[in-house]
Amino acid sequence: MRTLTHAEFMEMRRFPALDGLRAFAAVIVVVFHFGGAEWKWLSGWVGVYLFFVLSGFLITTLLLREQDTKGRISLKNFYIRRVFRIMPPYFVIFFFIMAFFYLRGDFFTIRYPETLKYYLPFMNEFLPAGMAGAPNDYFSGSWTLGIEQKFYLVWPALMVVAGVAAARRRVYIALGAMAVLIALIPLTGGWYTAYSMSALYTSSVHYVVLLVGALLAIVMNSKRLYAFVQPLTHPLVAPVSIIAFVVLHVNMETLWHSTGNAVVLLLGYAVLTAALIVSLMNRNPATWVLSTAPMRFVGDRSYSLYLFQGIAGFMVASMLPRFQVYGTLTAVVVTLVSLLLADIVFRWVEHPAIELGRRIIARRSQKAQAPVNPPHKEVPPVPVNA
C-alpha cells in the first residue's frame, strides 16, 4: 500500500493496463455506432479522445526514454517505426473495403479520384461531409488517423529541438504548443459550441488533447516533476481519480448537449484521462481488470478493430437483416466480427510489419558509427501501440 516510485516507473518495460484501456476505448466507439439509443449513456464517441491522450503519452514516453538511454532522439528511426506500425494495416483495410464493394458490383459508388486524394496522404479529416458512398461511409472513422499522423510528423521534431534539456523546457514547449493550438480553434472550425459536429474533425483542439498526454509523459519522465503526480499512484488515492474519470465519462453525452463550451469539456476529459493513466501505473483493482489477457488481446488489436467497424457493420447487416436495427445484440456481433477481422490483420500484416520495421532499425544501428559519448545503460523502450 504505497505509491509507485519514479525509479519503478522508469523500469517498467510495458504498461499492461493501458492495453486494456485501449481495448475499452475501441469497443465503446463500436457500441456508440451500433448500440443504439440504449447505450447513449456510455458516451462511446469519447473513445477517440482516450486514444488521443494515450497516443500522446506513449509516443512521448518512447521518445524520452530513447533520449535518456541513447543520448538523442533519432527521427529517422521514429518515422520508420510509425510507417511500419500505422500504414500496412491502414492500407490493407482501406483497399479491402474498396475491393469488397468493387466485387459487389458497386464500382460507381466508389469515387476513386475524390476518395484517394484524401485517404492516401492521410488527409481524412478534410473529407467533405457530403461525399457519401463507399468507402467513405465505412472508413470515415479513420479521420483520427489523419490527426495522429500530423501529430507524429511535428511533435517528435519539436522534441529534438528541445534537445537533452531540463524537463522544464519541454514543459514550456508543450504548453506553448497547446496555447497556440487553442488560439487557432476559432480558425480551424470555430468549434466552441457543443452543437457544431460538422466542424469537429478539422478543429485544432484534437492536437491539444494529444499534447495533454505528451505533457503527462514529460512530467512522469522527470524525477522532480514526477512528485506532483506520484500521489495518484497510491492504491487508496487511485480509486478517486478512477471514479472521477468514470463519472465524467458517463455524463459526457449529457454535458455535450448542454455545455456552452465543448472545448473546455474535452480538455477537462483529457486531464482526467491523464490522471487515470497515472493511477493505472500501480497495482489496484482497475489495473488488474485492464491487464487481464482478454483485455490485452483486444487492446493489441484495437487499431484494426477500430478501422474495421464500418465494413463489419455493413457485412453483418447484409447477411442478417435483423442487425440493420441498432441495439445491444448488433453492437456485440459487429464487435466480434471486427475483432475477428482485426485478428487476421494483426497476425498476418500488423505484427510482421512491426517486426520488419524493428529489423530495419537494427540494421541501421549496426551500420551507424560508434557514439562519441560513453554508451548509456540500455533500458528497453516502452512498446508503443498508439
Side-chain angles (χ1 to χ4, degrees):
M1 298 291 288
R2 63 177 181 82
T3 59
L4 186 76
T5 66
H6 182 257
E8 290 171 331
F9 167 73
M10 295 299 290
E11 290 173 359
M12 296 176 70
R13 296 177 57 181
R14 190 174 181 88
F15 309 133
L18 299 191
D19 289 332
L21 191 59
R22 285 206 327 275
F24 170 75
V27 170
I28 65 173
V29 171
V30 180
V31 172
F32 167 68
H33 288 135
F34 298 97
E38 59 194 285
W39 286 98
K40 288 286 187 181
W41 63 270
L42 190 58
S43 305
W45 57 274
V46 197
V48 296
Y49 296 99
L50 262 174
F51 274 121
F52 283 157
V53 179
L54 282 168
S55 294
F57 172 75
L58 290 170
I59 287 296
T60 307
T61 296
L62 179 63
L63 292 170
L64 291 173
R65 291 196 174 187
E66 180 183 359
Q67 189 174 71
D68 290 342
T69 57
K70 298 181 179 179
R72 67 184 184 89
I73 294 171
S74 171
L75 285 180
K76 288 184 179 179
N77 288 348
F78 173 82
Y79 293 134
I80 290 173
R81 284 193 297 267
R82 289 296 88 196
V83 165
F84 284 91
R85 172 69 179 91
I86 298 295
M87 292 188 178
Y90 173 90
F91 287 118
V92 165
I93 296 171
F94 174 70
F95 286 111
F96 170 82
I97 295 173
M98 300 282 276
F100 177 84
F101 283 99
Y102 176 79
L103 294 175
R104 277 176 52 88
D106 294 333
F107 177 82
F108 292 105
T109 69
I110 302 175
R111 302 171 64 174
Y112 281 110
E114 299 95 333
T115 294
L116 294 180
K117 72 179 182 181
Y118 291 103
Y119 286 122
L120 294 185
F122 286 88
M123 303 299 288
N124 316 47
E125 70 271 33
F126 297 106
L127 187 76
M131 188 180 286
N136 308 326
D137 292 339
Y138 310 102
F139 203 59
S140 59
S142 65
W143 67 269
T144 59
L145 273 298
I147 299 291
E148 291 201 14
Q149 286 290 72
K150 296 172 185 62
F151 177 77
Y152 297 150
L153 283 174
V154 177
W155 176 244
L158 288 178
M159 294 290 289
V160 170
V161 170
V164 183
R168 182 164 47 183
R169 183 190 298 178
R170 296 170 182 156
V171 169
Y172 290 158
I173 289 175
L175 291 176
M178 291 170 70
V180 170
L181 290 167
I182 290 173
L184 288 175
I185 290 173
L187 303 177
T188 57
W191 190 56
Y192 272 108
T193 67
Y195 309 103
S196 182
M197 287 296 290
S198 62
L200 181 148
Y201 303 126
T202 57
S203 175
S204 58
V205 72
H206 301 107
Y207 299 99
V208 181
V209 174
L210 279 157
L211 284 170
V212 169
L215 183 60
L216 174 65
I218 293 169
V219 169
M220 295 191 72
N221 190 74
S222 166
K223 185 175 182 179
R224 174 181 292 183
L225 297 179
Y226 181 81
F228 290 100
V229 298
Q230 185 174 359
L232 294 175
T233 66
H234 195 283
L236 296 180
V237 177
V240 176
S241 61
I242 294 171
I243 291 171
F245 169 83
V246 171
V247 169
L248 178 60
H249 180 89
V250 298
N251 284 285
M252 283 292 286
E253 180 69 18
T254 300
L255 293 171
W256 178 261
H257 293 289
S258 61
T259 183
N261 196 324
V263 172
V264 173
L265 179 62
L266 279 185
L267 293 184
Y269 183 82
V271 170
L272 281 185
T273 300
L276 174 67
I277 290 173
V278 179
S279 301
L280 294 176
M281 291 295 115
N282 207 356
R283 295 178 181 177
N284 58 64
T287 301
W288 180 82
V289 170
L290 292 172
S291 300
T292 56
M295 294 297 289
R296 288 186 285 109
F297 179 89
V298 177
D300 285 340
R301 292 149 181 82
S302 59
Y303 173 45
S304 294
L305 186 156
Y306 173 78
L307 292 179
F308 262 127
Q309 60 176 305
I311 188 61
F314 178 84
M315 294 166 64
V316 168
S318 298
M319 291 185 292
L320 297 170
R322 64 173 297 183
F323 293 119
Q324 293 177 6
V325 178
Y326 292 168
T328 301
L329 186 58
T330 300
V332 170
V333 173
V334 172
T335 300
L336 292 176
V337 172
S338 300
L339 183 59
L340 174 61
L341 294 171
D343 183 58
I344 295 172
V345 170
F346 178 80
R347 294 175 186 273
W348 294 96
V349 178
E350 193 170 344
H351 185 68
I354 292 172
E355 290 302 316
L356 176 59
R358 289 173 178 170
R359 289 197 295 272
I360 291 174
I361 291 173
R363 286 198 294 269
R364 290 189 70 253
S365 299
Q366 291 174 357
K367 294 179 180 179
Q369 296 180 353
V372 176
N373 297 325
H376 295 256
K377 180 182 177 181
E378 288 290 337
V379 178
V382 179
V384 175
N385 301 311

